[in-house]
Amino acid sequence: MTKLYLAIPCYNEEEVLRDSAEKLLNKYNTMMSEHKISFDSKIVFIDDGSKDRTWQIISELHSENPVFQGIKLSRNRGHQNALLCGVRTYDLKGQG
């Protein structure tokens, strides 16, 4: 079965992150129950140097459900670099 890793760059997303995570999780759960993706699929949020509570929320989401993963960048590196970081991190771990 296909393992899906969704890499999502985040910058100062505290106001919408929980709502987005809930919607993505609902879609993932539907896809898993329909056997379209495997149960070890992940949603990976990449905090691109946010100045707000984005990283704290990512950490809380991971504690609540391990489908959520997080990567924290030390400073803002831009959307494309954050996305590339997420892809490379999971590819290097042999998980992608």
Side-chain angles (χ1 to χ4, degrees):
M1 190 173 311
T2 302
K3 185 187 303 186
L4 178 62
Y5 281 78
L6 184 61
I8 304 168
C10 301
Y11 182 74
N12 293 340
E13 302 291 337
E14 81 174 294
E15 291 185 25
V16 298
L17 189 54
R18 284 201 168 272
D19 183 55
S20 298
E22 180 183 340
K23 290 175 181 173
L24 289 168
L25 183 60
N26 288 339
K27 184 63 175 175
Y28 258 50
N29 286 335
T30 298
M31 293 171 70
M32 286 185 231
S33 67
E34 294 173 353
H35 304 288
K36 293 180 178 177
I37 62 174
S38 68
F39 286 94
D40 56 348
S41 295
K42 303 290 180 194
I43 299 169
V44 184
F45 294 111
I46 302 102
D47 182 355
D48 191 16
S50 296
K51 306 287 186 207
D52 64 1
R53 295 180 56 248
T54 295
W55 180 249
Q56 181 179 346
I57 294 168
I58 292 170
S59 298
E60 290 168 2
L61 288 167
H62 174 70
S63 294
E64 295 164 12
N65 190 329
V67 73
F68 297 114
Q69 300 290 303
I71 299 170
K72 181 169 179 52
L73 303 180
S74 61
R75 63 180 177 83
N76 184 273
R77 301 194 182 266
H79 179 268
Q80 296 297 332
N81 287 325
L83 184 58
L84 186 58
C85 176
V87 171
R88 284 190 172 168
T89 297
Y90 281 86
D91 186 46
L92 293 174
K93 289 182 178 180
Q95 297 183 32

